[in-house]
Amino acid sequence: AAPTGEQLLITLATRDRIRASLVRQLESLDAVLMPVASIAAFRHRERQWELPSEPGSKPIGLFQAMMPAVVANVLGLPAVTIPMAVSSAGLPLGVQLMGRPFADERLLDAAVRLEEARGPWQGLDR
C-alpha cells in the first residue's frame, strides 16, 4: 500500500535528521573515502552475487550491492567515483568520495589528487 501522508513526513524528517548529523560530522573534512559498492564491477544484466567473504550466505541483489552509492543520493550530498584498479576478471575497481553540500570544488580537488596518486589509468583491455 502507498504510504500515508503522515508516514511520508516521518520518513522525510528522519532522513533530514540523518543528513544533518552527517553534515556536522563532515565539517572538518574535505571528503570521505568509501567503496562505490559492496562488490566489484559487474557485467551488464548481472543482478545477483555471492559474497566470497561470506561462503554459504544468501546472494545479494543490485540494491544491496549498491548501498554505499545510495547514501549520497538519498542524503543529497555530492559524490564522485574514481577508478583505481582492475579486478582479476578485468573489470574496474573504484572508490567513492563523498563531501559536504556545496563543497563540490573541494571534493573534485580531492578526486584529482587521488587520480594523481594512482597514476595514469590503464583502462580495460576488453
Side-chain angles (χ1 to χ4, degrees):
T4 66
E6 181 181 2
Q7 289 170 326
L8 182 58
L9 287 174
I10 290 169
T11 300
L12 292 173
T14 301
R15 181 203 59 193
D16 289 348
R17 281 194 301 279
I18 293 168
R19 183 179 193 275
S21 175
L22 183 55
V23 168
R24 276 192 303 277
Q25 294 175 48
L26 292 171
E27 285 177 358
S28 63
L29 304 173
D30 287 335
V32 174
L33 179 70
M34 52 196 290
V36 176
S38 58
I39 59 169
F42 50 89
R43 302 206 182 279
H44 292 285
R45 297 196 173 103
E46 285 183 355
R47 294 293 178 260
Q48 280 198 333
W49 303 271
E50 303 267 338
L51 295 180
S53 61
E54 300 175 31
S57 65
K58 181 177 153 188
I60 64 168
L62 186 60
F63 184 74
Q64 278 182 297
M66 298 306 296
M67 192 55 69
V70 170
V71 173
N73 288 311
V74 168
L75 299 179
L77 298 173
V80 61
T81 298
I82 301 101
M84 295 301 291
V86 177
S87 73
S88 59
L91 297 168
L93 298 171
V95 296
Q96 174 183 206
L97 292 173
M98 184 175 66
R100 295 186 307 275
F102 311 110
D104 302 53
E105 290 170 1
R106 285 185 175 207
L107 184 64
L108 292 173
D109 182 55
V112 167
R113 286 184 278 146
L114 193 55
E115 285 184 325
E116 289 170 347
R118 177 205 63 210
W121 175 242
Q122 300 303 312
L124 304 175
D125 26 316
R126 297 177 196 200

